[in-house]
Each structure stands twice: as structure tokens, then as C-alpha cells.
Amino acid sequence: MTEPIRVSILEDSLELQRLLVDVLTGIGYDVRAYGRAKDFELDFAQFKPKVSIIDLGLPDKDGLGLLHKMSTEHDTAILVISGRSSLTDKIAGFELGADDYLAKPFEMPELVARIKALLRRSRSLPDKRKSIHTVGNVTVDLSQFTLTDCNGNEERLSASEVAILTVFVDNPNRLVTRDKLREELQDRSDQHSFDRAIDVRVSRLRSKLKDSPKTPKIIKTVYGAGYIFISEAD
């Protein structure tokens, strides 16, 4: 029997926390909820959630700092839920490693749809497909969500970064439009927010690939259109 998908919730509002737990357990997820970052972090290694839902307004820790730590140290898809709804706040969340960002208040069907989209991204690579590629001077393992540089230093790739890189690897030397990426990522945000967010995600990916935006050798930006993956992925 397949184990249920594990989801961690870090939300200091007890009312919203209980509602999230009820909804997600009702559709078959194994859910644990926390009101404090300390408890969330202490239990993380033992529980190993596939998805983490994190509120940025925390009573005991800076939410953005926790987001950055989780995105760089742990293998979990991160959905931020926050009362900070401006585009600037969303971009900051994506820059620090969020895979998705949902502003409060939101409808539960929307949250469930976002979680399912994150899970589809993480399962998007078929088992029999080649998953390890040399891109420039780094090696990426799309199945393990990791990137290793020439010195052996390993870095985590987010679910969104893997999804984007998979599209690029599948379409070398072709224009990949933002609409194509939006379709692959199954992003439900408005067009303007998505365009800004995808630029941030590609910028993060380019940085991890050690690719200069001024003299790109891997990902070339075609302003107003999209991107071209100009590197050969071995």
C-alpha cells in the first residue's frame, strides 16, 4: 500500500491551522501542523514532508529567513501562504526559494490545486528517462533535485527549478516562451505576476548553474519573448 503524501503546515493562526489540517487530511494526506518555527524544524527531519506550507508571519522566527534555510538545506516543495500580498513580497519569496506563493485570504480549493501542481512537478520526470546531465561546468540530477559543481559542492534545486530546467533540456536551442513555462509549471497566478516570478526563478537557476546573465553560455534571455537554452546538456 502506498504511503500517504506527507505535508507540514507552519501557521500560527490556530483557526486556519485546523482548517488546513481538516481539508488536507480529508483528501488523504498525512498532515502535521505547527504554530512555532522551532517545533516545525525539530520535527522536520523525522517527518520528512513532501510539501511544506509556511506562513511568513511567525511569532518566534523571521519567516523569510526560515524560507531561505528550508529551500537551501532540505528537499521539500515549499508553498508560502502570507498576508503579504504585494508583488514585491511575492518576488522576495521566490528569490528566497519558494516554489509557490499564495496570498491570504485564499479559497481552500485553490490551495489544494497549488499543492497538487507542486506534487506533479516533483513527479514529472519518468523513471526510465535520463536524469543526470552535465550543463556547463556543473552536473544536475533532475530526479534527485540536486546540482553539483566541479568542486563537488552540492546544492538543492527546487521543484520549480527542476521543472524549468527539464523544459530547457528538452528544447535545446529553441525559444521557450513564458507561456510554455507557465503551462509546464501549471501556474495559476495572473500574467504580470507570473512573468516577474519566472524571471526570478530563471535568475536563481542561472546563478546556480554559474551562468553570467551578461555573457550567458547556458540560458539566453530573449527580451519580451522568453529564453533559449544554448548549452548542450550531455
Side-chain angles (χ1 to χ4, degrees):
M1 184 176 179
T2 304
E3 290 188 4
I5 293 167
R6 297 175 181 177
V7 179
S8 283
I9 301 169
L10 178 54
E11 166 60 57
D12 66 332
S13 166
L14 188 57
E15 181 180 1
L16 179 55
Q17 185 187 116
R18 288 173 174 168
L19 180 58
L20 290 169
V21 170
D22 287 345
V23 170
L24 297 180
T25 55
I27 58 176
Y29 294 156
D30 182 2
V31 184
R32 293 186 185 180
Y34 315 84
R36 298 174 64 85
K38 179 181 178 181
D39 299 326
F40 170 82
E41 291 183 280
L42 284 174
D43 196 38
F44 187 90
Q46 187 273 331
F47 188 49
K48 297 180 180 178
K50 190 72 174 177
V51 177
S52 294
I53 302 172
I54 298 177
D55 180 16
L56 296 182
L58 303 173
D60 62 329
K61 193 164 188 175
D62 173 55
L64 290 174
L66 176 64
L67 169 61
H68 179 64
K69 179 181 179 182
M70 296 302 299
S71 68
T72 55
E73 297 182 4
H74 299 288
D75 184 15
T76 183
I78 301 172
L79 170 60
V80 167
I81 55 173
S82 176
R84 308 173 191 175
S85 59
S86 72
L87 181 57
T88 300
D89 290 320
K90 292 180 181 179
I91 295 302
F94 286 122
E95 286 178 336
L96 291 172
D99 290 298
D100 203 352
Y101 192 112
L102 189 57
K104 298 177 182 179
F106 51 81
E107 299 293 332
M108 286 299 148
E110 175 70 8
L111 178 128
V112 171
R114 299 288 185 101
I115 292 174
K116 290 181 176 180
L118 287 176
L119 292 170
R120 282 193 293 270
R121 291 179 205 170
S122 65
R123 293 194 297 257
S124 62
L125 193 69
D127 292 338
K128 295 183 180 179
R129 177 180 177 179
K130 179 181 178 182
S131 64
I132 300 176
H133 300 271
T134 300
V135 180
N137 294 319
V138 302
T139 300
V140 295
D141 188 332
L142 298 175
S143 65
Q144 297 299 316
F145 290 55
T146 58
L147 177 152
T148 306
D149 66 19
C150 57
N151 295 316
N153 300 310
E154 188 175 278
E155 189 170 6
R156 178 185 177 271
L157 294 170
S158 70
S160 297
E161 289 164 349
V162 167
I164 292 169
L165 188 53
T166 300
V167 176
F168 287 158
V169 168
D170 286 348
N171 297 274
N173 299 305
R174 300 177 188 173
L175 176 66
V176 177
T177 65
R178 286 182 172 83
D179 286 341
K180 171 69 172 176
L181 290 171
R182 183 186 182 94
E183 178 183 345
E184 292 293 332
L185 294 174
Q186 301 182 43
D187 194 285
R188 300 163 64 92
S189 58
D190 65 85
Q191 188 69 50
H192 180 59
S193 295
F194 174 78
D195 286 349
R196 290 290 302 277
I198 202 65
D199 287 341
V200 170
R201 289 166 175 169
V202 171
S203 177
R204 280 174 52 86
L205 180 58
R206 182 183 277 133
S207 176
K208 291 181 179 181
L209 293 171
K210 309 295 190 272
D211 190 33
S212 169
K214 294 183 178 179
T215 55
K217 296 182 179 180
I218 300 176
I219 303 171
K220 178 181 179 181
T221 300
V222 181
Y223 292 99
Y227 306 92
I228 299 177
F229 188 70
I230 57 178
S231 174
E232 292 295 332
D234 299 329

